Amino acid sequence: MNKEKVFVSAYACEPHLGSEIGVGWNWVIQMSKYFDLWVLTRKSNQLNIENWLKQQSEPCNIHFVYYDIPAILRFWKKGLRGVRTYYNLWQMATNKIVKKTMKENDIKIYHLLTYGNSLWGASRYGMKQFFVWGPTGGVDLIPRRFVAYYGIKFRIRELIRTMVIKTLPLNIGFQKRCKHANLILCKSESMYEAIPEQYRSKAKLFTDCAVNGELLQENVVEDRKEIQYITVGRLDAWRNFDVLIEAFCLAYQEKPNIRLDIVGEGRDENRLKSLIRIRGMEQIIHMTGQVSMNRYYEMMRNADVVVNSSYKEGAVTMAFDSMAMGKPLICIETGGYTKHFSESSAMILPRGERKDLIESLRRAILSATDLETRKTMSREIYKIACEKTWEKKGKEICREIMTAYSGKKEES
């Protein structure tokens, strides 16, 4: 039986990496089991992808197409600096590639996969085909009471972002994507609600992540002298690391046997280090900087509790890795990935005032020091993990796309 052909725009897509890039890669690998894929990604990803392809014992059902804007026109981009501008330029520059590839190979389905930010652009040609959009998000708002504690650059950035989100009804690009999309996969409830009502019937709540089956391992919960907590993510102000630090300092006053590792790098690093230093917690709260994937997995396995303090949808890969390893999770309700966890498998804290969230985190951190609590959470979270693997996610992806596509063909 011939498989349906799909063109996937996956700017961030590379093997053996985490975060958005890892999500893009895993998503594409799962889709290739059910579709003939043509995947457009950055040329900078080509070497790692081709090395991966050489190591496969069976032919891979993916045709990769690579493109990068000429170096002379991207001298200003470094790492994630300028990524928004570069991404939108990349989408415009690759429109001809999308059109040519889809026409030459008689591809009817265009899937905009990464980056999963609804405020960023898409191929003009791709949008006018059968258009699968997402999982997408990026419309969660951070309350002013949190932003007030950010550094000046983050405050300005969040102010601009808030204005953009609140004016979405006037955003022509966003409205066009909503209109043309045949299936909109939303990362969170706030994204679903941001879709104009006349297009909302095409939208579904659908997280972008799943459990890496290779990491699945039941956790042996030990009664250790020191209890190790870990949080991972780019050091951006909106991830609430400052709130976590304050809560952890308060919890430490009652339980001096707790320790916290903050893994990652970013522009908020100096402010966070200063906060730790002022509270005299340098020996208790460690900022490790960026680490390799192998080191990250090692630290996760050695941790007793994983914390995701992001106020909006973020650090989802870390949360699903904690699930795979059977690690108790403390997180904030985001209306997205948190829907995959039960009350007995994770401590899901309500959003609210900053001081209330600090108190909720403090209580959750202290609650997780109890051995029996960790054992119960570990058992429950592992049970869920076995049902949330990428293999099972792939079947869900296929079902959603084919249901929408079949319905569209019946209408035609």
Side-chain angles (χ1 to χ4, degrees):
M1 181 178 176
N2 291 332
K3 295 180 178 179
E4 201 68 56
K5 298 176 181 178
V6 180
F7 186 98
V8 182
S9 177
Y11 176 95
C13 178
E14 198 173 346
H16 311 308
L17 293 175
S19 194
E20 187 92 18
I21 297 174
V23 166
W25 179 257
N26 281 297
W27 192 281
V28 161
I29 294 299
Q30 293 307 317
M31 282 188 71
S32 71
K33 298 176 181 178
Y34 306 99
F35 301 100
D36 282 335
L37 294 188
W38 277 256
V39 178
L40 173 64
T41 190
R42 288 197 60 191
K43 192 170 182 61
S44 59
N45 300 336
Q46 184 172 358
L47 181 60
N48 280 347
I49 289 174
E50 290 187 348
N51 285 338
W52 182 88
L53 290 171
K54 290 175 184 176
Q55 296 169 11
Q56 305 312 300
S57 57
E58 297 181 4
C60 186
N61 199 33
I62 308 174
H63 311 271
F64 284 98
V65 183
Y66 304 98
Y67 180 81
D68 266 338
I69 293 173
I72 195 170
L73 299 178
R74 53 182 166 91
F75 63 90
W76 43 269
K77 185 184 181 302
K78 185 177 181 182
L80 288 178
R81 187 184 69 188
V83 67
R84 181 186 296 104
T85 301
Y86 183 87
Y87 174 86
N88 284 295
L89 290 173
W90 186 85
Q91 285 290 355
M92 289 188 286
T94 56
N95 187 61
K96 289 182 179 179
I97 297 174
V98 176
K99 183 176 181 179
K100 182 174 184 290
T101 305
M102 292 188 73
K103 282 192 168 185
E104 287 182 352
N105 296 283
D106 192 30
I107 306 169
K108 306 299 183 185
I109 302 174
Y110 169 79
H111 183 188
L112 176 59
L113 178 58
T114 63
Y115 274 117
N117 191 318
S118 63
L119 306 178
W120 299 5
S123 162
R124 294 190 309 278
Y125 180 81
M127 281 196 298
K128 294 177 182 178
Q129 311 314 303
F130 184 89
F131 176 27
V132 179
W133 185 20
T136 191
V139 298
D140 306 84
L141 290 172
I142 305 295
R144 288 184 184 178
R145 54 189 177 271
F146 287 82
V147 178
Y149 287 82
Y150 295 174
I152 183 64
K153 289 184 179 179
F154 279 105
R155 291 205 301 271
I156 293 172
R157 188 177 293 112
E158 200 59 40
L159 174 63
I160 295 171
R161 188 174 160 279
T162 299
M163 290 173 60
V164 170
I165 293 171
K166 288 190 173 181
T167 56
L168 279 180
L170 305 176
N171 187 316
I172 295 174
F174 177 80
Q175 294 296 321
K176 280 184 177 179
R177 291 188 287 279
C178 292
K179 177 182 178 180
H180 289 297
N182 298 95
L183 174 62
I184 307 172
L185 302 174
C186 302
K187 291 184 182 181
S188 65
E189 290 172 341
S190 57
M191 182 65 231
Y192 179 83
E193 292 165 2
I195 304 296
E197 193 169 348
Q198 65 266 38
Y199 307 127
R200 208 170 288 165
S201 61
K202 302 182 293 185
K204 296 186 73 72
L205 194 62
F206 203 88
T207 192
D208 59 347
C209 201
V211 168
N212 182 346
E214 295 179 0
L215 298 180
L216 275 174
Q217 183 178 353
E218 289 191 72
N219 181 34
V220 179
V221 181
E222 299 176 346
D223 188 9
R224 299 201 286 189
K225 191 173 182 180
E226 289 186 351
I227 302 170
Q228 184 66 54
Y229 294 72
I230 187 172
T231 187
V232 184
R234 184 164 179 79
L235 304 182
D236 292 321
W238 61 266
R239 292 185 186 272
N240 269 355
F241 290 125
D242 58 337
V243 171
L244 174 57
I245 289 169
E246 292 195 32
F248 204 84
C249 290
L250 292 172
Y252 176 77
Q253 294 175 12
E254 297 182 53
K255 293 283 186 178
N257 64 329
I258 59 175
R259 302 291 183 268
L260 172 65
D261 283 334
I262 300 176
V263 182
E265 61 183 8
R267 288 169 289 194
D268 205 30
E269 183 174 350
N270 290 336
R271 181 177 75 104
L272 297 176
K273 284 184 174 178
S274 177
L275 190 60
I276 294 168
R277 185 175 61 253
I278 289 170
R279 284 157 175 72
M281 294 285 284
E282 296 101 319
Q283 302 304 311
I284 307 303
I285 302 176
H286 300 109
M287 296 187 65
T288 69
Q290 192 73 17
V291 300
S292 68
M293 286 300 293
N294 286 338
R295 177 60 180 150
Y296 158 71
Y297 289 139
E298 180 185 357
M299 295 179 74
M300 287 285 286
R301 289 190 184 96
N302 290 335
D304 296 293
V305 184
V306 178
V307 186
N308 183 1
S309 56
S310 295
Y311 194 89
K312 62 181 184 179
E313 191 81 352
V316 179
T317 301
M318 173 189 67
F320 275 82
D321 287 346
S322 73
M323 190 190 293
M325 298 178 190
K327 300 294 180 178
L329 176 69
I330 299 172
C331 59
I332 315 301
E333 175 61 76
T334 65
Y337 80 95
T338 48
K339 300 299 181 185
H340 292 279
F341 298 88
S342 64
E343 291 183 3
S344 57
S345 67
M347 298 181 192
I348 305 173
L349 312 180
R351 299 185 190 187
E353 295 291 336
R354 190 175 185 275
K355 59 181 179 61
D356 294 334
L357 185 54
I358 291 173
E359 175 59 20
S360 295
L361 273 168
R362 182 193 71 84
R363 290 199 302 267
I365 291 166
L366 290 174
S367 180
T369 61
D370 179 70
L371 179 62
E372 292 306 315
T373 297
R374 295 202 307 277
K375 284 182 177 180
T376 299
M377 292 177 69
S378 180
R379 284 193 301 269
E380 292 301 314
I381 203 168
Y382 184 75
K383 287 179 187 176
I384 297 173
C386 295
E387 299 300 319
K388 301 293 180 181
T389 62
W390 272 111
E391 287 70 22
K392 294 185 179 182
K393 184 79 171 180
K395 293 179 181 178
E396 293 179 19
I397 295 167
C398 175
R399 183 173 62 250
E400 293 295 345
I401 293 176
M402 288 311 300
T403 298
Y405 187 57
S406 298
K408 183 66 175 179
K409 287 200 294 185
E410 287 175 5
E411 292 176 9
S412 300

